[in-house]
Amino acid sequence: MKIIIINYGAGNIKSIQFAFQRLGFDAVLTNDPEEISNADKVIFPGVGEASSAMNKLRQTGLEVLIPQLKQPVLGICLGMQLMCNHTEEGNTQGIGIFDVNVKRFSNAVKVPQMGWNTIHNLKSDLFKGIHEGDYMYLVHSYYAENCNQAIATTNYELEYASALENGNFFGVQFHPEKSGKVGEQLLKNFIKL
Amino acid sequence: MLTKRIIPCLDIKDGRTVKGVNFVDLRDAGDPVALGKQYAELGADELVFLDISATQEKRRTMHDMVLKVAEQVNIPFTVGGGISSVEDVDDLLHCGADKVSINSSAVKRPELINELSAKFGSQCIVVAIDAKQIEGEWFVHLAGGTIPTNIKLFDWAKEVEERGAGEILFTSMNHDGTKNGFANEALAKLSSLVNIPIIASGGAGTIQHFADTFTIGKADAALAASVFHFGEIPILELKNQLKNKGLAVRL
């Protein structure tokens, strides 16, 4: 099993690597197109600001490579948002794997949403052994709108898509690597896909 | 529903926890990694590690500790103490810290908040504010609350939000160590003034104090040390009782 974490200089990816290590898997950090293409599983992380992250993806050619991948790909947090059509953060055009837009929470709620929230309307094998109302850890100011590619929803100000699926592509807004045992279950499920 | 967070705080000196910790059957209660892991299993929502040695030569020890915590703990954790530059934060995030907390260095050079949030994102920048109420007015204090300034708490809180802080950790020097409850009036005012999450710190003594700081103080999270370390308030029981009082907690 070869698990790759796409390394394009986005934030704290050590946590993801350690999370796989706790499950007994080595996940390799790389931005090498060939290594990414040949992996069994690909993690697309992302912490930071959308437009500068997207610029890095363009410069490295990853913007073109990622949508061509055939194996299971899991976008996490900003990674998931960049896989959408467009995000309001920095008015950034995304990769467009998920047919949905990303918007900012209004100031009716505290922004960022920071902490543990529940997931609902679970739809995918990604959530095997995970229950309606289980908690995941989230830190974000922007959200993907609820849509027919949503495989989980969460409520903060409104009901939004906290996980998305389109073919071999998956995206989660929460941080499974920081979400205790439930998060570990999701990573195990992803490995088994 | 987004839950209220319960955050144990561990003081670290030279890579070891200080202040006794005797709530669990650990072979080495001074080992921050074992303790952090235990707290995660007992239901803590996040952890804060505060480096109180914070001298240059001890920084490497802290990095090693952060790396080990990141390796073994599956919930988010914040590292604070002696952080004063973009490089410091870069190092800690690379070791696997989820957030960093800055305090005196932000007061001395407020631009640091802008620099950090621009480079790493607001989500990982916690600004800790220690303040003391003197004749009705709250003033920011530095160096663990020992050095007074003439900066007013509420002005400073607004400024750190504008500069890009993702969260405020507010410690009331008047309440810290008293076990008489959190500074709920000031906390509620903070929550009404800024739109980022507020962590309440200082004064936890009973379960009711936690309930009060979430309802009256409108805090998003509550941080405590000794009541957890000495088993006076087991985290699970705390969360169960908060739930019974109608508060959203992760169980």
Side-chain angles (χ1 to χ4, degrees), chain B residues 163-201:
Chain B
R163 288 182 181 275
E167 198 166 31
I168 290 174
L169 165 56
F170 167 57
T171 303
S172 160
M173 308 310 302
N174 304 71
H175 296 73
D176 201 27
T178 65
K179 297 200 175 180
N180 282 331
F182 294 90
N184 293 324
E185 206 179 311
L187 282 160
K189 190 168 173 192
L190 278 176
S191 253
S192 70
L193 282 174
V194 301
N195 203 45
I196 53 177
I198 307 286
I199 307 170
S201 159

Side-chain angles (χ1 to χ4, degrees), chain A residues 16-50:
Chain A
I16 303 174
Q17 207 174 14
F18 285 144
F20 281 109
Q21 195 177 300
R22 288 193 292 272
L23 297 174
F25 292 90
D26 265 336
V28 180
L29 301 176
T30 184
N31 60 4
D32 179 62
E34 204 175 307
E35 217 176 339
I36 295 170
S37 302
N38 293 330
D40 298 305
K41 299 282 171 348
V42 175
I43 303 288
F44 178 37
V47 174
E49 197 272 328

Side-chain angles (χ1 to χ4, degrees), chain A residues 11-15 18-19 21-22 47-49 104 106-118 120 135-140 155-156 176-181 184, chain B residues 1-3 5 41 44-46 67 69-77 93-99 120-123 166-167 191 194-198 218 220 249-251:
Chain A
N12 177 6
I13 38 184
K14 207 113 198 168
S15 304
F18 285 144
Q21 195 177 300
R22 288 193 292 272
V47 174
E49 197 272 328
R104 193 180 188 279
S106 86
N107 283 340
V109 287
K110 289 200 174 180
V111 185
Q113 167 174 225
M114 190 171 299
W116 299 80
N117 202 337
T118 47
H120 303 274
Y135 291 95
M136 291 288 192
Y137 184 77
L138 300 133
V139 186
H140 62 125
N155 207 295
Y156 190 66
E177 75 279 15
K178 285 288 160 185
S179 295
K181 292 208 159 55
E184 282 172 3
Chain B
M1 191 175 178
L2 183 66
T3 64
R5 286 170 283 153
E41 276 157 21
D45 294 308
E46 273 184 53
L67 204 57
V69 172
E71 236 172 52
Q72 298 193 31
V73 174
N74 60 10
I75 59 169
F77 68 98
L93 295 180
H94 267 104
C95 291
D98 297 289
K99 304 185 230 178
F120 307 106
S122 291
Q123 80 290 334
E167 198 166 31
S191 253
V194 301
N195 203 45
I196 53 177
I198 307 286
K218 300 193 166 54
D220 299 284
V249 288
R250 177 181 68 112
L251 280 166

Side-chain angles (χ1 to χ4, degrees), chain A residues 109-170:
Chain A
V109 287
K110 289 200 174 180
V111 185
Q113 167 174 225
M114 190 171 299
W116 299 80
N117 202 337
T118 47
I119 50 172
H120 303 274
N121 304 306
L122 309 180
K123 272 179 197 153
S124 158
D125 282 350
L126 201 57
F127 293 104
K128 228 177 227 174
I130 297 174
H131 307 100
E132 291 286 320
D134 274 350
Y135 291 95
M136 291 288 192
Y137 184 77
L138 300 133
V139 186
H140 62 125
S141 303
Y142 297 80
Y143 65 91
E145 294 180 289
N146 198 2
C147 61
N148 56 19
Q149 289 174 339
I151 52 170
T153 63
T154 292
N155 207 295
Y156 190 66
E157 187 183 12
L158 74 178
E159 191 178 43
Y160 67 91
S162 48
L164 295 158
E165 180 179 335
N166 181 13
N168 58 315
F169 294 96
F170 300 82

